[in-house]
């Protein structure tokens, strides 16, 4: 009786918390629980399922249609850690404004951000994208080529970023990047930014974008960017991909050179 009374006493609090954080609960369900269940039942990874959907619904050679198919999957089927349409508009606008010649992406995942970046490149520009997971890279390769971008425009490099960054100059010919998009593990943002500095891979005035700096967050990265004296920094406030009720943001850094 006592235990039941205690449980009933906490019930209103539990209901209040569930209502307040219902969007995060839904994210947990779609991104973790539903993925786990469908992975087990189908034997096919979520990323491959998403690609099969894109392959069936997108027009080959049409980058925007490929992105639209991904967005339809993310809204209607399962959550994917893509940029999504709202953040995508921010990134696309900045790429068009800066017209970069050499672009580096850290975290290819399924290729959504890669296609978005390549879509806005000026003629003759080159995009280097780095993915640590070979299975994700295999999906991304097919997505990039489905969208119509060849190896002369997009080079996909498979390997951990901490190993790839030091050899970008010698092995891949990237002398300096004037536009960087970080969308891999958030705890690696700061480490990889400092690696780019150490290996002199940032051109003066380079733009560095970092996704998900509010949720799940990258506090140490933001603190460094704001206090190290090498960057001008601002955060574009938006929402988590495919979850408008969850606040998120993209950090925009402008590299002003070594101190």
């Amino acid at each position: 009786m006592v235990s039941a009374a205690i449980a009933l006493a906490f019930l209103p609090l539990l209901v209040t918390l569930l209502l307040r954080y219902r969007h995060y609960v839904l994210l947990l369900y779609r991104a973790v629980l539903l993925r786990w269940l469908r992975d087990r039942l189908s034997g096919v990874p979520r990323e491959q399922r998403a690609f099969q959907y894109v392959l069936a619904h997108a027009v080959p050679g049409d980058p925007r249609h490929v992105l639209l198919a991904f967005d339809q999957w993310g809204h209607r089927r399962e959550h994917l850690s893509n940029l999504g349409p709202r953040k995508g508009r921010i990134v696309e606008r900045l790429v068009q404004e800066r017209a970069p010649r050499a672009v580096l992406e850290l975290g290819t995942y399924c290729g959504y951000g890669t296609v978005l970046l390549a879509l806005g490149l000026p003629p003759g520009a080159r995009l280097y994208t780095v993915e640590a997971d070979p299975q994700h890279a295999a999906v991304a390769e097919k997505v990039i080529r489905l969208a119509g971008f060849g190896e002369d425009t997009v080079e996909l490099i498979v390997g951990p970023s901490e190993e790839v960054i030091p050899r970008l100059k010698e092995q891949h010919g990237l002398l300096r990047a004037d536009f960087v998009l970080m969308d891999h593990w958030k705890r690696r943002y700061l480490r990889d930014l400092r690696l780019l500095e150490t290996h002199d891979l940032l051109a003066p005035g380079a733009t560095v974008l970092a996704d998900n700096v509010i949720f799940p967050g990258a506090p140490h990265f933001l603190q460094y960017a704001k206090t190290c004296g090498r960057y001008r920094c601002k955060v574009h406030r938006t929402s988590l991909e495919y979850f408008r009720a969850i606040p998120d943001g993209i950090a925009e850094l402008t590299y002003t050179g070594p101190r």
Side-chain angles (χ1 to χ4, degrees):
M1 292 296 294
V2 175
S3 298
I6 293 175
L8 287 173
F10 278 99
L11 185 59
L13 175 61
L14 179 61
V15 171
T16 300
L17 290 174
L18 286 175
L19 289 174
R20 178 175 297 179
Y21 297 106
R22 63 189 182 279
H23 303 293
Y24 297 91
V25 174
L26 180 59
L27 174 62
L28 175 66
Y29 167 72
R30 293 191 64 203
V32 179
L33 299 180
L34 185 60
R35 172 188 181 176
W36 178 87
L37 180 61
R38 288 183 173 171
D39 282 357
R40 296 301 181 276
L41 291 177
S42 68
V44 178
R46 173 181 58 178
E47 293 75 21
Q48 187 64 40
R49 292 196 298 274
F51 172 70
Q52 292 299 328
Y53 180 90
V54 172
L55 187 62
H57 292 82
V59 176
D62 187 335
R64 293 199 182 278
H65 212 255
V66 169
L67 296 176
L68 177 61
F70 264 121
D71 291 334
Q72 290 172 343
W73 173 273
H75 281 300
R76 302 172 184 174
R77 303 295 181 94
E78 298 175 64
H79 181 75
L80 285 173
S81 298
N82 295 327
L83 282 167
R86 299 190 73 190
K87 293 178 183 177
R89 285 191 289 271
I90 296 172
V91 173
E92 186 175 8
R93 173 177 59 81
L94 291 172
V95 171
Q96 292 174 348
E97 288 177 358
R98 309 298 155 80
R101 306 297 302 178
V103 179
L104 174 64
E105 180 186 28
L106 300 178
T108 316
Y109 191 43
C110 291
Y112 184 105
T114 314
V115 171
L116 184 70
L117 289 168
L119 186 60
L121 292 180
R126 188 163 178 78
L127 167 58
Y128 304 81
T129 182
V130 180
E131 174 55 49
D133 189 316
Q135 292 184 346
H136 293 170
V139 171
E141 179 80 31
K142 292 182 282 190
V143 168
I144 294 164
R145 307 314 170 203
L146 178 67
F149 298 108
E151 294 182 2
D152 57 330
T153 301
V154 179
E155 179 179 350
L156 175 59
I157 306 168
V158 183
S161 54
E162 70 272 19
E163 296 179 7
V164 172
I165 290 173
R167 62 175 192 256
L168 281 172
K169 285 187 177 182
E170 292 187 1
Q171 294 189 14
H172 301 280
L174 175 59
L175 301 181
R176 281 181 172 177
D178 41 22
F179 199 99
V180 178
L181 174 62
M182 293 185 169
D183 197 9
H184 54 325
W185 290 101
K186 316 315 162 193
R187 63 177 179 270
R188 297 176 184 172
Y189 281 7
L190 177 54
R191 180 202 65 189
D192 288 351
L193 182 66
R194 301 193 73 170
L195 275 174
L196 293 173
E197 295 170 355
T198 299
H199 293 277
D200 193 27
L201 283 162
L202 294 176
T207 298
V208 179
L209 301 183
D211 190 20
N212 302 123
V213 294
I214 294 177
F215 183 84
H220 299 298
F221 169 84
L222 284 179
Q223 182 181 21
Y224 175 80
K226 292 175 180 178
T227 60
C228 72
R230 296 186 174 99
Y231 303 93
R232 296 192 304 272
C233 179
K234 67 177 180 180
V235 175
H236 298 270
R237 300 274 176 170
T238 179
S239 59
L240 185 68
E241 52 274 13
Y242 312 122
F243 278 88
R244 289 199 172 196
I246 298 180
D248 197 8
I250 296 178
E252 178 190 346
L253 281 56
T254 303
Y255 182 58
T256 57
R259 295 175 62 180

